[in-house]
Amino acid sequence: MSTLYSTKVTAIGGRSGTIRSEDGLLDLQLALPTSLGGKGGATNPEQLFAAGYAACFENAVIHVTRGKAEKVKDDDIVVVADVGLSPNASGGFVLSVALDVTITGLDQASAEAIVAAAHAVCPYSNAVKGNIDVKITVATK
């Protein structure tokens, strides 16, 4: 199997440091959220994961609809990713994800079938399968 795309990001300083991609397009300060006792004021790994998962999942929905008679426009799909960080029983931490997917112009059954197919092809969904609890809700407009 050949790699379709690869990227590299360097983190320095952990949750209160910086991240920078090799091409410089991503260059951000990080901060521990105030809800976790940090100073806030900058992004954090959970926000970045939520952004990546939402965008990737939306593209998976687009990908799935391209082969269907019921095509939807890119702007007719909205994905909101809610990523939670919780302690686990062994003193570590776990993530949880809730994806709220809204698709305009489809009936509920078609939207649910498309989202199920997208969940099967999305690289983020495949990466976390069996490791992170992912709850998906589907709505139509």
Side-chain angles (χ1 to χ4, degrees), residues 4-26:
L4 297 175
Y5 174 73
S6 177
T7 188
K8 191 181 296 184
V9 175
T10 301
I12 300 172
R15 288 180 168 271
S16 296
T18 61
I19 56 172
R20 188 174 200 302
S21 61
E22 63 187 342
D23 61 7
L25 293 175
L26 182 67

Side-chain angles (χ1 to χ4, degrees), residues 15 33 35-36 44-51 53 80-88 92-99 128 131-135:
R15 288 180 168 271
S35 62
L36 294 177
N44 59 68
E46 290 73 32
Q47 286 178 331
L48 295 167
F49 185 76
Y53 203 161
V80 177
D82 183 352
V83 172
L85 176 68
S86 305
N88 66 13
F93 300 92
V94 295
L95 296 176
S96 61
V97 175
L99 297 175
V128 304
N131 296 310
I132 295 176
D133 182 30
V134 178
K135 293 187 173 138

